[in-house]
Amino acid sequence: MTFVTKLSFASGDHDVLSETVQDLKTTLERKGAECKGPHATPAETVRVPLYKQLRAGDEFSPWSYSVYKRSMEIHGADDIARDVVARDFPDSIHVEVEVDQKKPLGHRRD
């Protein structure tokens, strides 16, 4: 059975995110892993209300910032995927990992 490791990255720092994901892609290709991505999604703007006091009422202008997202998939290469997941990513990047198990086509379980 083959495993697919799905990586999702999110950050407010576009430059650090792009550099980190590109470095990861280069490393995966150098090690011979089958990698799809990185795939970018449109930036999401987050708005946070700011109140002048601890209760609702008078407000300052909301604080807004952009969140940038990228995703990648590593097919097979379990040992390489394990190394990638254990890697230290910059604090400004949120990383989510999902592992799916794929069965070969035409295989039946009795």
Side-chain angles (χ1 to χ4, degrees), residues 55-75:
R55 62 186 186 297
D58 266 348
E59 292 184 26
F60 292 107
S61 296
W63 175 49
S64 63
Y65 60 97
S66 297
V67 176
Y68 304 94
K69 297 181 180 181
R70 301 286 184 275
S71 62
M72 300 175 76
E73 291 182 1
I74 304 169
H75 293 259

Side-chain angles (χ1 to χ4, degrees), residues 4-10 14 17-18 21-22 24-25 34-43 68-75:
V4 177
T5 305
K6 297 178 182 180
L7 303 165
S8 300
F9 304 91
H14 182 266
L17 178 64
S18 294
V21 171
Q22 189 56 49
L24 180 59
K25 171 84 173 178
E34 182 184 344
C35 175
K36 294 188 180 179
H39 305 290
T41 56
Y68 304 94
K69 297 181 180 181
R70 301 286 184 275
S71 62
M72 300 175 76
E73 291 182 1
I74 304 169
H75 293 259

